[in-house]
Amino acid sequence: EAGVAQSPRYKIIEKRQSVAFWCNPISGHATLYWYQQILGQGPKLLIQFQNNGVVDDSQLPKDRFSAERLKGVDSTLKIQPAKLEDSAVYLCASSFGSAPNEKLFFGSGTQLSVL
Amino acid sequence: AQKVTQAQTEISVVEKEDVTLDCVYETRDTTYYLFWYKQPPSGELVFLIRRNSFDEQNEISGRYSWNFQKSTSSFNFTITASQVVDSAVYFCALSEGGGGFKTIFGAGTRLFVKA
């Protein structure tokens, strides 16, 4: 069974530039999550999708971050414009359902460096 | 509000030593779920175990064991006879059973196992 796919693996940009990350969840998983992991910290949820609808985006900085999951499968997270403090690993995860006891399956992440 | 505290930032042990990773959580819900995830150098978080708030039985899986104590709000993880391959960052996580759940993670404990 294929895991959660993410690309690119690494990205280096200058502040004020824009960047986009892509995620393809495990086939059949209805719920998709984007987490931000700053060095030395645990993952922080940015946005959660159930199929193509947003369940929780309370911690997404909406002035610069956007995400979509148009067909309820793969998803794109965009940052525009990027700030230095956006340097982090962006992790995508998926789960079969949306119950609180769901175990999450993670991709390898995209490491973003903003210079 | 939910919170997960992993007070140990880094632990270093010599191979074959036993090691315990501490996790303390806070929640107002009576129904909740606790998790442990492992993040090896490849970056992909891997699910290890899930526990619900009504099941305080300890669990053993090979060299891994988990001690859940509601009285102290702790869910500690012990690795017996550690191996170099156990070197990773370990995250404790909490998900509440109420509506609008999200899984929050502790800051993680980095474990170094030296040969």
Side-chain angles (χ1 to χ4, degrees):
Chain A
E1 176 183 271
V4 176
Q6 286 190 249
S7 67
R9 189 75 176 88
Y10 303 94
K11 191 73 178 178
I12 301 173
I13 61 172
E14 295 189 352
K15 60 183 178 184
R16 290 188 288 273
Q17 286 187 326
S18 62
V19 64
F21 314 126
W22 175 82
C23 171
N24 193 29
I26 291 174
S27 177
H29 280 194
T31 309
L32 184 147
Y33 315 77
W34 283 102
Y35 281 86
Q36 180 193 57
Q37 186 178 16
I38 292 173
L39 187 65
Q41 299 181 19
K44 182 184 85 171
L45 181 68
L46 293 176
I47 189 167
Q48 177 181 339
F49 292 94
Q50 176 72 15
N51 296 310
N52 60 350
V54 175
V55 174
D56 185 336
D57 63 356
S58 57
Q59 296 192 92
L60 187 73
K62 298 180 187 65
D63 57 335
R64 298 182 301 105
F65 286 64
S66 64
E68 59 183 16
R69 193 185 183 198
L70 292 176
K71 296 181 180 178
V73 181
D74 57 348
S75 175
T76 303
L77 176 70
K78 296 179 182 177
I79 308 174
Q80 182 180 11
K83 292 185 175 181
L84 296 177
E85 58 260 37
D86 298 331
S87 294
V89 176
Y90 290 84
L91 295 164
C92 180
S94 69
S95 62
F96 182 74
S98 61
N101 65 341
E102 295 279 349
K103 63 181 183 181
L104 306 183
F105 295 81
F106 284 84
S108 296
T110 295
Q111 186 170 325
L112 174 67
S113 297
V114 182
L115 307 177
Chain B
Q2 43 179 162
K3 185 179 179 183
V4 176
T5 302
Q6 294 180 257
Q8 304 150 308
T9 305
E10 287 187 3
I11 300 176
S12 183
V13 299
V14 177
E15 210 170 19
K16 297 183 184 175
E17 283 186 18
D18 298 347
V19 58
T20 295
L21 310 181
D22 297 333
C23 172
V24 174
Y25 63 91
E26 293 178 30
T27 177
R28 294 179 188 158
D29 274 19
T30 55
T31 301
Y32 53 89
Y33 301 86
L34 295 163
F35 305 79
W36 276 95
Y37 286 84
K38 174 182 180 180
Q39 187 176 39
S42 62
E44 187 175 318
L45 277 83
V46 176
F47 168 85
L48 294 178
I49 191 170
R50 167 182 54 208
R51 256 295 172 262
N52 73 58
S53 52
F54 299 107
D55 182 2
E56 284 194 75
Q57 266 196 326
N58 291 331
E59 180 151 341
I60 298 175
S61 175
R63 297 184 296 108
Y64 295 171
S65 62
W66 291 269
N67 184 326
F68 176 29
Q69 292 195 335
K70 288 178 74 171
S71 60
T72 55
S73 297
S74 65
F75 186 43
N76 297 337
F77 173 29
T78 297
I79 302 174
T80 302
S82 59
Q83 299 177 1
V84 172
V85 293
D86 296 326
S87 296
V89 182
Y90 291 87
F91 292 96
C92 181
L94 166 69
S95 180
E96 292 175 333
F101 90 96
K102 62 185 173 189
T103 302
I104 66 159
F105 288 80
T109 297
R110 183 176 294 276
L111 175 65
F112 293 99
V113 181
K114 295 179 282 190

